Amino acid sequence: MRRTEKEKSMPPGELLRQAENQLVSALCGIRENPDGWLPHTVYVEEEGDCPVYTMYRLLDIRKDGGCTLYNPQTGEHFTSRHLREINIEWLVTLWERYLELRPEKRAASVPETCPGKGTDIRVFVWYCGLTGRNVSDDRLVRMWKESPLRSTENPEDETLYEVECLTLDELAERINDDCFAYTEDYVRFIDMGHL
């Protein structure tokens, strides 16, 4: 599915929130848990002097997105947590594991734009001075393959720029680690299967 112009110009954080919402919605829509799916290991980033990732076992998911988490180190059960508290990388892992255990559900139950639907979603990141944000998907992929390149916006700029191609997990890691240049880079999500 091609992204709209509005989606192409959204900040990366907003696109990540959309992906998270789609994953949470898909997980809440599961009517029957396949054998061996839950409990499942997940990680939650929790507040402290610095970010702390705590391992939990996800025991159940409710239709409203609520869930029960078990901390094996402390033996505590938390019955009023929410799927959105789980790091997005682990929501993707949870969804992919569900698909592995219920392969007949792939075509029928996964939202068209949800990561993991047998698509090959890649995140393209490039410096805003290299080319405009409205560059076509085909041209952007060609630029990635031909990188490094000089700016198409400024013929006098002799700097060589890269177009990066990341997975969703790699983008999430970069955002979570505050290693993303929000004001300098453009981002595009492209389903490589549709090119």
Side-chain angles (χ1 to χ4, degrees):
M1 172 177 279
R2 298 267 183 204
R3 299 254 175 210
T4 66
E5 288 303 314
K6 181 180 176 184
E7 289 173 319
K8 290 176 183 178
S9 63
M10 280 184 187
E14 180 60 28
L15 289 168
L16 199 58
R17 278 188 288 281
Q18 281 189 359
E20 179 186 61
N21 288 340
Q22 291 167 352
L23 283 165
V24 168
S25 177
L27 290 165
C28 290
I30 294 172
R31 290 178 171 42
E32 182 181 338
N33 293 345
D35 291 339
W37 186 50
L38 295 179
H40 195 286
T41 298
V42 294
Y43 283 82
V44 174
E45 183 179 352
E46 299 183 301
E47 299 294 322
D49 294 336
C50 59
V52 175
Y53 294 89
T54 305
M55 183 187 81
Y56 290 96
R57 300 290 285 164
L58 174 65
L59 303 182
D60 65 46
I61 298 172
R62 295 182 290 281
K63 290 181 181 180
D64 65 354
C67 62
T68 302
L69 298 178
Y70 168 71
N71 185 327
Q73 290 192 328
T74 65
E76 294 176 277
H77 285 81
F78 300 91
T79 58
S80 59
R81 301 298 289 264
H82 197 280
L83 288 174
R84 285 188 177 82
E85 297 177 54
I86 298 170
N87 285 46
I88 191 167
E89 298 94 334
W90 287 93
L91 291 178
V92 170
T93 301
L94 183 64
W95 180 252
E96 288 174 343
R97 181 64 176 147
Y98 171 76
L99 294 178
E100 287 173 14
L101 296 172
R102 296 293 301 270
E104 69 277 8
K105 291 281 188 180
R106 286 183 192 213
S109 67
V110 185
E112 187 64 30
T113 56
C114 183
K117 185 188 179 281
T119 59
D120 185 14
I121 302 291
R122 289 291 180 263
V123 184
F124 288 81
V125 180
W126 70 98
Y127 176 67
C128 60
L130 171 61
T131 192
R133 70 180 184 193
N134 294 326
V135 62
S136 71
D137 290 354
D138 291 335
R139 175 71 180 130
L140 188 56
V141 171
R142 280 197 309 275
M143 291 176 76
W144 163 61
K145 291 178 180 177
E146 295 167 3
S147 289
L149 301 166
R150 291 181 57 189
S151 173
T152 63
E153 302 290 297
N154 181 1
E156 295 178 11
D157 184 355
E158 295 187 12
T159 307
L160 292 175
Y161 298 102
E162 295 279 342
V163 175
E164 294 183 272
C165 180
L166 309 174
T167 65
L168 292 172
D169 286 346
E170 288 168 337
L171 175 65
E173 179 181 1
R174 191 172 291 188
I175 292 171
N176 289 336
D177 293 341
D178 288 329
C179 297
F180 192 82
Y182 293 100
T183 59
E184 299 176 359
D185 290 339
Y186 288 131
V187 175
R188 174 87 52 84
F189 288 69
I190 298 178
D191 181 350
M192 301 297 281
H194 285 100
L195 289 180

PDB file of all heavy atoms in Angstrom, residues 56-62 64-71 76-83 85:
ATOM      1  N   TYR A  56       9.508  -8.926  31.470  1.00  0.00           N
ATOM      2  CA  TYR A  56       8.276  -9.477  32.037  1.00  0.00           C
ATOM      3  C   TYR A  56       7.853 -10.672  31.196  1.00  0.00           C
ATOM      4  O   TYR A  56       8.321 -10.870  30.075  1.00  0.00           O
ATOM      5  CB  TYR A  56       7.145  -8.440  32.003  1.00  0.00           C
ATOM      6  CG  TYR A  56       7.300  -7.288  32.949  1.00  0.00           C
ATOM      7  CD1 TYR A  56       7.844  -6.087  32.515  1.00  0.00           C
ATOM      8  CD2 TYR A  56       6.887  -7.385  34.275  1.00  0.00           C
ATOM      9  CE1 TYR A  56       7.978  -5.006  33.379  1.00  0.00           C
ATOM     10  CE2 TYR A  56       7.008  -6.305  35.143  1.00  0.00           C
ATOM     11  CZ  TYR A  56       7.562  -5.127  34.688  1.00  0.00           C
ATOM     12  OH  TYR A  56       7.688  -4.064  35.541  1.00  0.00           O
ATOM     13  N   ARG A  57       6.912 -11.423  31.739  1.00  0.00           N
ATOM     14  CA  ARG A  57       6.205 -12.447  30.982  1.00  0.00           C
ATOM     15  C   ARG A  57       4.781 -11.911  30.786  1.00  0.00           C
ATOM     16  O   ARG A  57       4.096 -11.588  31.753  1.00  0.00           O
ATOM     17  CB  ARG A  57       6.165 -13.778  31.726  1.00  0.00           C
ATOM     18  CG  ARG A  57       7.526 -14.372  32.026  1.00  0.00           C
ATOM     19  CD  ARG A  57       8.255 -14.879  30.818  1.00  0.00           C
ATOM     20  NE  ARG A  57       7.678 -16.140  30.378  1.00  0.00           N
ATOM     21  CZ  ARG A  57       7.893 -16.686  29.190  1.00  0.00           C
ATOM     22  NH1 ARG A  57       8.661 -16.089  28.319  1.00  0.00           N
ATOM     23  NH2 ARG A  57       7.348 -17.824  28.874  1.00  0.00           N
ATOM     24  N   LEU A  58       4.387 -11.778  29.527  1.00  0.00           N
ATOM     25  CA  LEU A  58       3.022 -11.350  29.203  1.00  0.00           C
ATOM     26  C   LEU A  58       2.113 -12.567  29.350  1.00  0.00           C
ATOM     27  O   LEU A  58       2.291 -13.570  28.652  1.00  0.00           O
ATOM     28  CB  LEU A  58       2.972 -10.803  27.776  1.00  0.00           C
ATOM     29  CG  LEU A  58       1.608 -10.432  27.225  1.00  0.00           C
ATOM     30  CD1 LEU A  58       1.002  -9.263  28.008  1.00  0.00           C
ATOM     31  CD2 LEU A  58       1.713 -10.085  25.746  1.00  0.00           C
ATOM     32  N   LEU A  59       1.144 -12.471  30.261  1.00  0.00           N
ATOM     33  CA  LEU A  59       0.289 -13.627  30.564  1.00  0.00           C
ATOM     34  C   LEU A  59      -1.038 -13.604  29.818  1.00  0.00           C
ATOM     35  O   LEU A  59      -1.556 -14.656  29.460  1.00  0.00           O
ATOM     36  CB  LEU A  59       0.024 -13.706  32.072  1.00  0.00           C
ATOM     37  CG  LEU A  59       1.269 -13.796  32.974  1.00  0.00           C
ATOM     38  CD1 LEU A  59       0.843 -13.914  34.430  1.00  0.00           C
ATOM     39  CD2 LEU A  59       2.150 -14.967  32.559  1.00  0.00           C
ATOM     40  N   ASP A  60      -1.608 -12.413  29.625  1.00  0.00           N
ATOM     41  CA  ASP A  60      -2.885 -12.337  28.918  1.00  0.00           C
ATOM     42  C   ASP A  60      -3.059 -10.965  28.298  1.00  0.00           C
ATOM     43  O   ASP A  60      -2.379 -10.005  28.674  1.00  0.00           O
ATOM     44  CB  ASP A  60      -4.073 -12.666  29.841  1.00  0.00           C
ATOM     45  CG  ASP A  60      -4.260 -11.646  30.955  1.00  0.00           C
ATOM     46  OD1 ASP A  60      -4.210 -10.426  30.680  1.00  0.00           O
ATOM     47  OD2 ASP A  60      -4.469 -12.041  32.112  1.00  0.00           O
ATOM     48  N   ILE A  61      -3.966 -10.891  27.326  1.00  0.00           N
ATOM     49  CA  ILE A  61      -4.306  -9.640  26.651  1.00  0.00           C
ATOM     50  C   ILE A  61      -5.824  -9.516  26.671  1.00  0.00           C
ATOM     51  O   ILE A  61      -6.532 -10.460  26.314  1.00  0.00           O
ATOM     52  CB  ILE A  61      -3.810  -9.637  25.189  1.00  0.00           C
ATOM     53  CG1 ILE A  61      -2.289  -9.742  25.150  1.00  0.00           C
ATOM     54  CG2 ILE A  61      -4.289  -8.390  24.453  1.00  0.00           C
ATOM     55  CD1 ILE A  61      -1.727  -9.942  23.746  1.00  0.00           C
ATOM     56  N   ARG A  62      -6.316  -8.341  27.069  1.00  0.00           N
ATOM     57  CA  ARG A  62      -7.748  -8.102  27.078  1.00  0.00           C
ATOM     58  C   ARG A  62      -8.143  -7.250  25.867  1.00  0.00           C
ATOM     59  O   ARG A  62      -7.306  -6.598  25.250  1.00  0.00           O
ATOM     60  CB  ARG A  62      -8.146  -7.421  28.397  1.00  0.00           C
ATOM     61  CG  ARG A  62      -7.913  -8.347  29.601  1.00  0.00           C
ATOM     62  CD  ARG A  62      -8.332  -7.715  30.923  1.00  0.00           C
ATOM     63  NE  ARG A  62      -7.473  -6.627  31.357  1.00  0.00           N
ATOM     64  CZ  ARG A  62      -6.292  -6.797  31.951  1.00  0.00           C
ATOM     65  NH1 ARG A  62      -5.809  -8.016  32.159  1.00  0.00           N
ATOM     66  NH2 ARG A  62      -5.589  -5.745  32.339  1.00  0.00           N
ATOM     67  N   ASP A  64      -9.512  -4.469  25.522  1.00  0.00           N
ATOM     68  CA  ASP A  64      -9.273  -3.029  25.621  1.00  0.00           C
ATOM     69  C   ASP A  64      -7.783  -2.682  25.605  1.00  0.00           C
ATOM     70  O   ASP A  64      -7.417  -1.518  25.770  1.00  0.00           O
ATOM     71  CB  ASP A  64      -9.929  -2.467  26.878  1.00  0.00           C
ATOM     72  CG  ASP A  64      -9.310  -3.023  28.169  1.00  0.00           C
ATOM     73  OD1 ASP A  64      -8.442  -3.926  28.106  1.00  0.00           O
ATOM     74  OD2 ASP A  64      -9.703  -2.558  29.252  1.00  0.00           O
ATOM     75  N   GLY A  65      -6.918  -3.686  25.407  1.00  0.00           N
ATOM     76  CA  GLY A  65      -5.477  -3.460  25.391  1.00  0.00           C
ATOM     77  C   GLY A  65      -4.817  -3.668  26.737  1.00  0.00           C
ATOM     78  O   GLY A  65      -3.591  -3.658  26.844  1.00  0.00           O
ATOM     79  N   GLY A  66      -5.648  -3.853  27.780  1.00  0.00           N
ATOM     80  CA  GLY A  66      -5.087  -4.164  29.086  1.00  0.00           C
ATOM     81  C   GLY A  66      -4.429  -5.534  29.054  1.00  0.00           C
ATOM     82  O   GLY A  66      -4.765  -6.386  28.225  1.00  0.00           O
ATOM     83  N   CYS A  67      -3.493  -5.739  29.954  1.00  0.00           N
ATOM     84  CA  CYS A  67      -2.798  -7.026  29.977  1.00  0.00           C
ATOM     85  C   CYS A  67      -2.257  -7.305  31.372  1.00  0.00           C
ATOM     86  O   CYS A  67      -2.223  -6.417  32.220  1.00  0.00           O
ATOM     87  CB  CYS A  67      -1.667  -7.048  28.953  1.00  0.00           C
ATOM     88  SG  CYS A  67      -0.371  -5.821  29.238  1.00  0.00           S
ATOM     89  N   THR A  68      -1.854  -8.545  31.585  1.00  0.00           N
ATOM     90  CA  THR A  68      -1.228  -8.936  32.838  1.00  0.00           C
ATOM     91  C   THR A  68       0.234  -9.248  32.574  1.00  0.00           C
ATOM     92  O   THR A  68       0.553 -10.035  31.670  1.00  0.00           O
ATOM     93  CB  THR A  68      -1.924 -10.174  33.442  1.00  0.00           C
ATOM     94  OG1 THR A  68      -3.307  -9.869  33.651  1.00  0.00           O
ATOM     95  CG2 THR A  68      -1.280 -10.583  34.754  1.00  0.00           C
ATOM     96  N   LEU A  69       1.104  -8.602  33.346  1.00  0.00           N
ATOM     97  CA  LEU A  69       2.541  -8.844  33.241  1.00  0.00           C
ATOM     98  C   LEU A  69       3.037  -9.475  34.533  1.00  0.00           C
ATOM     99  O   LEU A  69       2.610  -9.102  35.628  1.00  0.00           O
ATOM    100  CB  LEU A  69       3.293  -7.531  33.000  1.00  0.00           C
ATOM    101  CG  LEU A  69       2.974  -6.768  31.724  1.00  0.00           C
ATOM    102  CD1 LEU A  69       3.768  -5.463  31.674  1.00  0.00           C
ATOM    103  CD2 LEU A  69       3.274  -7.611  30.495  1.00  0.00           C
ATOM    104  N   TYR A  70       3.954 -10.433  34.386  1.00  0.00           N
ATOM    105  CA  TYR A  70       4.549 -11.111  35.534  1.00  0.00           C
ATOM    106  C   TYR A  70       6.042 -10.841  35.525  1.00  0.00           C
ATOM    107  O   TYR A  70       6.702 -11.016  34.482  1.00  0.00           O
ATOM    108  CB  TYR A  70       4.273 -12.615  35.455  1.00  0.00           C
ATOM    109  CG  TYR A  70       5.074 -13.435  36.433  1.00  0.00           C
ATOM    110  CD1 TYR A  70       4.802 -13.385  37.796  1.00  0.00           C
ATOM    111  CD2 TYR A  70       6.099 -14.261  36.001  1.00  0.00           C
ATOM    112  CE1 TYR A  70       5.537 -14.136  38.699  1.00  0.00           C
ATOM    113  CE2 TYR A  70       6.841 -15.018  36.883  1.00  0.00           C
ATOM    114  CZ  TYR A  70       6.564 -14.949  38.241  1.00  0.00           C
ATOM    115  OH  TYR A  70       7.293 -15.688  39.130  1.00  0.00           O
ATOM    116  N   ASN A  71       6.583 -10.373  36.648  1.00  0.00           N
ATOM    117  CA  ASN A  71       8.017 -10.143  36.780  1.00  0.00           C
ATOM    118  C   ASN A  71       8.639 -11.364  37.438  1.00  0.00           C
ATOM    119  O   ASN A  71       8.459 -11.584  38.633  1.00  0.00           O
ATOM    120  CB  ASN A  71       8.278  -8.885  37.627  1.00  0.00           C
ATOM    121  CG  ASN A  71       9.744  -8.526  37.685  1.00  0.00           C
ATOM    122  OD1 ASN A  71      10.608  -9.386  37.673  1.00  0.00           O
ATOM    123  ND2 ASN A  71      10.027  -7.240  37.770  1.00  0.00           N
ATOM    124  N   GLU A  76       6.150 -10.721  41.193  1.00  0.00           N
ATOM    125  CA  GLU A  76       4.950  -9.882  41.212  1.00  0.00           C
ATOM    126  C   GLU A  76       4.135 -10.026  39.935  1.00  0.00           C
ATOM    127  O   GLU A  76       4.688 -10.141  38.844  1.00  0.00           O
ATOM    128  CB  GLU A  76       5.338  -8.413  41.374  1.00  0.00           C
ATOM    129  CG  GLU A  76       5.971  -8.069  42.705  1.00  0.00           C
ATOM    130  CD  GLU A  76       6.406  -6.615  42.735  1.00  0.00           C
ATOM    131  OE1 GLU A  76       7.505  -6.321  42.223  1.00  0.00           O
ATOM    132  OE2 GLU A  76       5.622  -5.786  43.246  1.00  0.00           O
ATOM    133  N   HIS A  77       2.806  -9.977  40.091  1.00  0.00           N
ATOM    134  CA  HIS A  77       1.867  -9.937  38.978  1.00  0.00           C
ATOM    135  C   HIS A  77       1.278  -8.525  38.895  1.00  0.00           C
ATOM    136  O   HIS A  77       0.887  -7.961  39.919  1.00  0.00           O
ATOM    137  CB  HIS A  77       0.726 -10.940  39.181  1.00  0.00           C
ATOM    138  CG  HIS A  77       1.130 -12.350  38.943  1.00  0.00           C
ATOM    139  ND1 HIS A  77       1.787 -13.106  39.878  1.00  0.00           N
ATOM    140  CD2 HIS A  77       0.977 -13.132  37.849  1.00  0.00           C
ATOM    141  CE1 HIS A  77       2.015 -14.315  39.387  1.00  0.00           C
ATOM    142  NE2 HIS A  77       1.539 -14.361  38.157  1.00  0.00           N
ATOM    143  N   PHE A  78       1.206  -7.977  37.682  1.00  0.00           N
ATOM    144  CA  PHE A  78       0.630  -6.656  37.470  1.00  0.00           C
ATOM    145  C   PHE A  78      -0.545  -6.827  36.502  1.00  0.00           C
ATOM    146  O   PHE A  78      -0.355  -7.072  35.318  1.00  0.00           O
ATOM    147  CB  PHE A  78       1.672  -5.701  36.885  1.00  0.00           C
ATOM    148  CG  PHE A  78       2.879  -5.531  37.776  1.00  0.00           C
ATOM    149  CD1 PHE A  78       3.980  -6.354  37.630  1.00  0.00           C
ATOM    150  CD2 PHE A  78       2.885  -4.565  38.767  1.00  0.00           C
ATOM    151  CE1 PHE A  78       5.086  -6.210  38.450  1.00  0.00           C
ATOM    152  CE2 PHE A  78       3.991  -4.410  39.593  1.00  0.00           C
ATOM    153  CZ  PHE A  78       5.094  -5.237  39.440  1.00  0.00           C
ATOM    154  N   THR A  79      -1.758  -6.699  37.051  1.00  0.00           N
ATOM    155  CA  THR A  79      -2.953  -7.007  36.257  1.00  0.00           C
ATOM    156  C   THR A  79      -3.528  -5.801  35.526  1.00  0.00           C
ATOM    157  O   THR A  79      -4.418  -5.958  34.695  1.00  0.00           O
ATOM    158  CB  THR A  79      -4.051  -7.601  37.158  1.00  0.00           C
ATOM    159  OG1 THR A  79      -4.339  -6.656  38.206  1.00  0.00           O
ATOM    160  CG2 THR A  79      -3.598  -8.924  37.762  1.00  0.00           C
ATOM    161  N   SER A  80      -3.048  -4.603  35.823  1.00  0.00           N
ATOM    162  CA  SER A  80      -3.636  -3.411  35.193  1.00  0.00           C
ATOM    163  C   SER A  80      -2.620  -2.666  34.320  1.00  0.00           C
ATOM    164  O   SER A  80      -2.594  -1.444  34.298  1.00  0.00           O
ATOM    165  CB  SER A  80      -4.199  -2.473  36.270  1.00  0.00           C
ATOM    166  OG  SER A  80      -3.165  -2.084  37.161  1.00  0.00           O
ATOM    167  N   ARG A  81      -1.809  -3.403  33.584  1.00  0.00           N
ATOM    168  CA  ARG A  81      -0.867  -2.786  32.646  1.00  0.00           C
ATOM    169  C   ARG A  81      -1.529  -2.704  31.277  1.00  0.00           C
ATOM    170  O   ARG A  81      -2.626  -3.223  31.058  1.00  0.00           O
ATOM    171  CB  ARG A  81       0.426  -3.616  32.564  1.00  0.00           C
ATOM    172  CG  ARG A  81       1.155  -3.789  33.890  1.00  0.00           C
ATOM    173  CD  ARG A  81       1.653  -2.504  34.527  1.00  0.00           C
ATOM    174  NE  ARG A  81       2.764  -1.893  33.847  1.00  0.00           N
ATOM    175  CZ  ARG A  81       4.033  -2.070  34.197  1.00  0.00           C
ATOM    176  NH1 ARG A  81       4.356  -2.828  35.227  1.00  0.00           N
ATOM    177  NH2 ARG A  81       4.990  -1.461  33.527  1.00  0.00           N
ATOM    178  N   HIS A  82      -0.858  -2.052  30.308  1.00  0.00           N
ATOM    179  CA  HIS A  82      -1.403  -1.896  28.954  1.00  0.00           C
ATOM    180  C   HIS A  82      -0.348  -2.287  27.933  1.00  0.00           C
ATOM    181  O   HIS A  82       0.850  -2.094  28.148  1.00  0.00           O
ATOM    182  CB  HIS A  82      -1.862  -0.457  28.720  1.00  0.00           C
ATOM    183  CG  HIS A  82      -2.784  -0.325  27.554  1.00  0.00           C
ATOM    184  ND1 HIS A  82      -2.328  -0.278  26.248  1.00  0.00           N
ATOM    185  CD2 HIS A  82      -4.133  -0.256  27.484  1.00  0.00           C
ATOM    186  CE1 HIS A  82      -3.357  -0.175  25.430  1.00  0.00           C
ATOM    187  NE2 HIS A  82      -4.477  -0.158  26.156  1.00  0.00           N
ATOM    188  N   LEU A  83      -0.805  -2.816  26.791  1.00  0.00           N
ATOM    189  CA  LEU A  83       0.116  -3.235  25.738  1.00  0.00           C
ATOM    190  C   LEU A  83       1.024  -2.101  25.275  1.00  0.00           C
ATOM    191  O   LEU A  83       2.158  -2.333  24.878  1.00  0.00           O
ATOM    192  CB  LEU A  83      -0.656  -3.784  24.533  1.00  0.00           C
ATOM    193  CG  LEU A  83      -1.321  -5.148  24.706  1.00  0.00           C
ATOM    194  CD1 LEU A  83      -2.161  -5.480  23.475  1.00  0.00           C
ATOM    195  CD2 LEU A  83      -0.279  -6.234  24.950  1.00  0.00           C
ATOM    196  N   GLU A  85       2.610  -0.066  26.925  1.00  0.00           N
ATOM    197  CA  GLU A  85       3.785   0.063  27.789  1.00  0.00           C
ATOM    198  C   GLU A  85       4.932  -0.814  27.296  1.00  0.00           C
ATOM    199  O   GLU A  85       6.088  -0.576  27.629  1.00  0.00           O
ATOM    200  CB  GLU A  85       3.430  -0.329  29.221  1.00  0.00           C
ATOM    201  CG  GLU A  85       2.390   0.566  29.857  1.00  0.00           C
ATOM    202  CD  GLU A  85       2.021   0.097  31.245  1.00  0.00           C
ATOM    203  OE1 GLU A  85       2.929  -0.070  32.077  1.00  0.00           O
ATOM    204  OE2 GLU A  85       0.808  -0.110  31.493  1.00  0.00           O
TER     205      GLU A  85
END
